[in-house]
Amino acid sequence: MFSLKSPALFIFLSSLFQHLNWAISLTSTGQTLVLNDIPYYVPATPFATVPFPNSLQSAASAGGLAPVTVVVLSASNASLSGLEQAIDAFGVDDVWNEGFLEAILVSYATGVKPIIPLNGSFTLPGANQSSLISVLQSNNSSSSIPSGPYFLSTSGSLYQPLRLYSDFAGAFTQPLIRVSNSAYAALPANIAGIQSPAVGVPSRLYYTKTAHQPLAGVRLGVKDIYDVAGVRTSDGNRAWYGLFPPASVNAVPVQRLVDAGAVIVGKMKTSQFANGETATADWVDYHSPFNPRGDGYQDPSSSSSGPGAGEGSYPWLDLGLGSDTGGSIRGPSQVQGLFGNRPSHGLVALTGVMPLAPQLDTAGFLTRDPAIWVAAAKVLYVDLPFYNQYPKTLYTVDYPTSADNEADAVLLAFLAKLEGFLSTSATALNLSTLWTNTLPAGADPSLDEFLNITYPILISKEQTMLVRDPFYAAYAAVHDGRRPFVDPAPLVRWAFGDSYPNSTLTEAVANKTVFQDWWSANVQRNDSATCSDSLLLYTAGVNPLYRNEYNGPPQVPYGFGTSRISPFTEVPDFVIPIGSAAYNSTITLHTEFLPVTVDILAAKGCDGLIFNLVQDLQAAGIVNASLTGQTITGGEILLRM
Ligand SMILES: *[C@@H]1O[C@H](CO)[C@@H](O)[C@H](O)[C@H]1NC(C)=O
Ligand SMILES: *[C@@H]1O[C@H](CO)[C@@H](O)[C@H](O)[C@H]1NC(C)=O
Ligand SMILES: *[C@@H]1O[C@H](CO)[C@@H](O)[C@H](O)[C@H]1NC(C)=O
Ligand SMILES: *[C@@H]1O[C@H](CO)[C@@H](O)[C@H](O)[C@H]1NC(C)=O
Ligand SMILES: *[C@@H]1O[C@H](CO)[C@@H](O)[C@H](O)[C@H]1NC(C)=O
Ligand SMILES: *[C@@H]1O[C@H](CO)[C@@H](O)[C@H](O)[C@H]1NC(C)=O
Ligand SMILES: *[C@@H]1O[C@H](CO)[C@@H](O)[C@H](O)[C@H]1NC(C)=O
Ligand SMILES: *[C@@H]1O[C@H](CO)[C@@H](O)[C@H](O)[C@H]1NC(C)=O
Ligand SMILES: *[C@@H]1O[C@H](CO)[C@@H](O)[C@H](O)[C@H]1NC(C)=O
Ligand SMILES: *[C@@H]1O[C@H](CO)[C@@H](O)[C@H](O)[C@H]1NC(C)=O
Ligand SMILES: *[C@@H]1O[C@H](CO)[C@@H](O)[C@H](O)[C@H]1NC(C)=O
Ligand SMILES: *[C@@H]1O[C@H](CO)[C@@H](O)[C@H](O)[C@H]1NC(C)=O
């Protein structure tokens, strides 16, 4: 037994205390609450301070907090029915719930006369219990407290809660909260779920979109190769995450979205150093996200797979910021059935973003909703010209010509509708033939040979120089000369780069440039009326790729194909979901459905033409927004069960 009189213990304790010097640093990181079975996070810092209505004393049940609803009324709705209508409309918000009707704080815009009788109890039509109602004291300052759900403390602190959702698809690396005007931090809250961190989202009721803030309240997930101020970037690598300090400023593309009102809810998964990795074996440091479509065990593609899986899974997530070097936005958009754009190269500076190959790297979006897509594009790509007159030339490359299966039937039906919409008929283009017939001086007559190693040389030579070498040196410097762990896929690519002399990089850039110039002279030319003289369609097809299958070791991404056109020619390449096709799942032993998508290309700089086309096709009923779920038209996500 220990005795406080024991001299040895006394000496031990006093030396311990001396060592600790009784230093105490205690910081509140907020708290979690459950209201009507819905979990919330309440931040440590209040949004505003207001007088606490005495009548509310009994309502402050959980830790001294009362759930309240703030309703801002202007002259046009400062009536009892205006109040009822306002509260009725709150029902569409996923963060507000009827529990917040414990009390209603009515706030009048400046100059509006309170005409609701007040500080009493009030039963809304259809509600089972009465709400306490109170008029917010402050006249003008109160109107800066937006309508929506809040928690109110007895000391008058008014908090904006975040609703907590489970990241069951494993799409996030780290959920975030904004802790100041210019910094973010890890969300200090969780709910049940294995390896599924909670993500917190604010009510949409707080935000009003304006010309200055067209993305106000848009919930954004950021691929974890973009710096977010206050937070470490992982690039999908544990050693990298641990080695470098938190970013001090947002990456340029992130800052543009935040300035326009977007709400960052978290960092999202990337395959390592944005290289191509196949689920599950290639993802050693972190587990690949889960594709919600079909049986739930299909590869989510690479490398913007976090935003892709998240957009396919979560109705509460509006927009994913991804990057595309050789297909990293397009692949996840194709297999998750999303709208995804690889933009024209160079539309936005990539300061604060990890490079793969600067000659090819681009920043773009993955989303279910064309309206959000276009609004976000206008913010990210400043001064992007929009065109609404379409070219009459429509090319297809490697597109099906007969409806041999369900996917091909969907593709042909879409092509027919597009031809009808553009009042034209498509021309099938044979790129290798066209290339051979219009061969640039000194180029190889075989396109496949000419561009076979161009892509792997560009990414490996650039990334070893810009990322690997400084990483290895910095890691060795603080770990006694050790080398950090890196997944097999980037290692295979980097080793490929090392096996070629540095001069090959110059050769790769030269080959890319020859092809780019050839393309803009022979395939897609600029046009003063329609921006691009043609649109070009291709498809990735529908190919089940199970995440529980054993693959061979990762391969160097040799070769040329339709997906390489846009990286080499710098033209925009947008993915559009157009339907679903059945397959027989070896997981569920049942028929399941995978998304069918097309890719549309235009001349460089003509991104606005395609954005406009997609909006017009949506208005014409030819294209629809995607839904979350088992298919792009919804359904229970199987991997949750
Ligand atoms: C309503 O209650 C608040 C706070 O308790 C009080 O300051 C205010 O005067 C009351 N207003 C009316 C109209 O009774
Ligand atoms: C009241 O009306 C104003 C303008 O007419 C509107 O901006 C506001 O959202 C309305 N308030 C609620 C709570 O619906
Ligand atoms: C609220 O604002 C109006 C218009 O500015 C003013 O007439 C009124 O006195 C103010 N009321 C209070 C309580 O400050
Ligand atoms: C009110 O109570 C009824 C019966 O208990 C229930 O069906 C209904 O959902 C409740 N309505 C609200 C708004 O809670
Ligand atoms: C409230 O006051 C601020 C300045 O304190 C002013 O800029 C704003 O226009 C006022 N709001 C209303 C609705 O009058
Ligand atoms: C393009 O033409 C070449 C040569 O005629 C032919 O071998 C190839 O199959 C064609 N490609 C397509 C996609 O039709
Ligand atoms: C591409 O390069 C790889 C590796 O050198 C080689 O195995 C393959 O045959 C090449 N393909 C073509 C079409 O040149
Ligand atoms: C560039 O093109 C030349 C000529 O066809 C070819 O031999 C070489 O392998 C290519 N190199 C790269 C890096 O693309
Ligand atoms: C190739 O480039 C890398 C990165 O700039 C450099 O470290 C290396 O020394 C170069 N190799 C040769 C042989 O010049
Ligand atoms: C699924 O399997 C059944 C039975 O073998 C077959 O008739 C059907 O065509 C298959 N469906 C698809 C989409 O492959
Ligand atoms: C076409 O326009 C793009 C951007 O608007 C520009 O980069 C490109 O050089 C133009 N091409 C030609 C052939 O003028
Ligand atoms: C889009 O949705 C409408 C209404 O649900 C439907 O009629 C139409 O077939 C859909 N179009 C596509 C391409 O799925």
Side-chain angles (χ1 to χ4, degrees), residues 51-54 118-119 134-135 137:
F52 187 83
N54 291 330
L118 303 180
N119 286 6
S134 179
V135 176
Q137 275 289 294

Side-chain angles (χ1 to χ4, degrees), residues 461 465 469 502:
K461 281 289 179 196
M465 186 167 58
D469 295 350
N502 287 354

Side-chain angles (χ1 to χ4, degrees), residues 52-89:
F52 187 83
N54 291 330
S55 50
L56 256 179
Q57 282 297 352
S58 60
S61 50
L65 293 177
V68 303
T69 296
V70 169
V71 186
V72 181
L73 295 176
S74 69
S76 62
N77 48 19
S79 65
L80 205 52
S81 65
L83 177 65
E84 284 164 17
Q85 278 167 20
I87 289 174
D88 216 36

Side-chain angles (χ1 to χ4, degrees), residues 88-111:
D88 216 36
F90 289 177
V92 302
D93 183 55
D94 62 337
V95 177
W96 185 86
N97 78 60
E98 284 174 358
F100 287 100
L101 289 177
E102 182 81 50
I104 301 170
L105 304 186
V106 181
S107 166
Y108 294 94
T110 307

Side-chain angles (χ1 to χ4, degrees), residues 406 581-584 591-592:
E406 195 177 358
Y583 71 106
N584 287 328
T591 302
E592 309 295 354

Side-chain angles (χ1 to χ4, degrees), residues 320-397:
L321 175 63
S323 68
D324 193 302
T325 302
S328 290
I329 286 173
R330 292 167 289 150
S333 300
Q334 286 154 356
V335 301
Q336 260 106 190
L338 305 168
F339 295 85
N341 67 303
R342 175 190 169 89
S344 294
H345 186 258
L347 286 191
V348 56
L350 298 180
T351 313
V353 191
M354 183 215 62
L356 181 47
Q359 295 87 346
L360 309 175
D361 293 343
T362 60
F365 301 108
L366 302 91
T367 183
R368 300 178 302 277
D369 182 353
I372 291 176
W373 198 31
V374 173
K378 286 180 174 167
V379 167
L380 188 60
Y381 316 125
V382 180
D383 298 332
L384 186 67
F386 274 69
Y387 291 77
N388 52 15
Q389 198 181 326
Y390 300 112
K392 291 287 178 212
T393 304
L394 175 63
Y395 292 125
T396 58
V397 174

